[in-house]
Amino acid sequence: MQDPLPPTADDMDRCVDDLRTALAAHGIALPSLRLDLPAFAGTYAPPAVLVALGNCNTATARRLIAVLHGSARTASPPPLDLDLLAVPKAVPELRRTVRDYLGVPCADVQLCVTELVANVIRHVGEGTPIRVRVACTDDGGRVRVEVTDPDARALPVLVHADGDEECGRGLALLDAVALRWGVEQRADGKTVWCELDSPEE
């Protein structure tokens, strides 16, 4: 089955990444096959852009990804762990990475990640090193988001901002969409976390 339009290089990269993620959820690591899909796929000249695994086109690869994701519902994928600096320009890519990891639209999860990182930027400082973790529960029913930073003192406080106030809405939004949230303090920092229902396809 041919794609309606020839896929772009960006489409191909995203498709390969999605396929890697879907296979990883089943315990299949492509590096163990000694095959680098982007490099291999790049040897094909347009418009015959192929995914190297099985030499299928991107439409077939996307169907394979959907099947793999569907059969992996009972087994959660490994957590997504990202170490980065809390800067505004990192947020759009972080949102895309979270969407790719979950494999379905996930506006509420992306919102929570965005607000937790923005909270670090605002109250700890721009450029603070952070760790972002997104994990699915074993039964696939919930998604847990964690943002860890090195400042144990700057604790988030839920405030109800008035209509004219520009600040203070982040945690209120998180509180509205999350099932629950909290803070884990340690001597070397803190983790702010929240849990949400898993997004539906």
Side-chain angles (χ1 to χ4, degrees), residues 117-173:
V117 172
N119 218 43
V120 173
I121 294 171
R122 189 175 301 115
H123 298 291
V124 181
E126 187 171 336
T128 299
I130 59 173
R131 167 163 280 204
V132 176
R133 167 173 275 220
V134 180
C136 299
T137 59
D138 287 337
D139 64 1
R142 291 188 179 183
V143 175
R144 182 178 173 97
V145 175
E146 300 177 358
V147 175
T148 302
D149 69 70
D151 190 336
R153 297 164 300 145
L155 298 178
V157 177
L158 178 62
V159 295
H160 296 284
D162 292 333
D164 295 334
E165 293 183 45
E166 294 182 9
C167 295
R169 298 184 188 278
L171 282 179
L173 286 171

Side-chain angles (χ1 to χ4, degrees), residues 85-136:
L85 298 179
V87 293
K89 68 180 182 181
V91 172
E93 181 61 29
L94 179 58
R95 290 173 63 90
R96 279 191 294 272
T97 301
V98 168
R99 163 64 174 84
D100 290 345
Y101 168 74
L102 292 174
V104 293
C106 53
D108 286 349
V109 178
Q110 290 173 308
L111 171 68
C112 289
V113 170
T114 299
E115 293 305 332
L116 290 176
V117 172
N119 218 43
V120 173
I121 294 171
R122 189 175 301 115
H123 298 291
V124 181
E126 187 171 336
T128 299
I130 59 173
R131 167 163 280 204
V132 176
R133 167 173 275 220
V134 180
C136 299

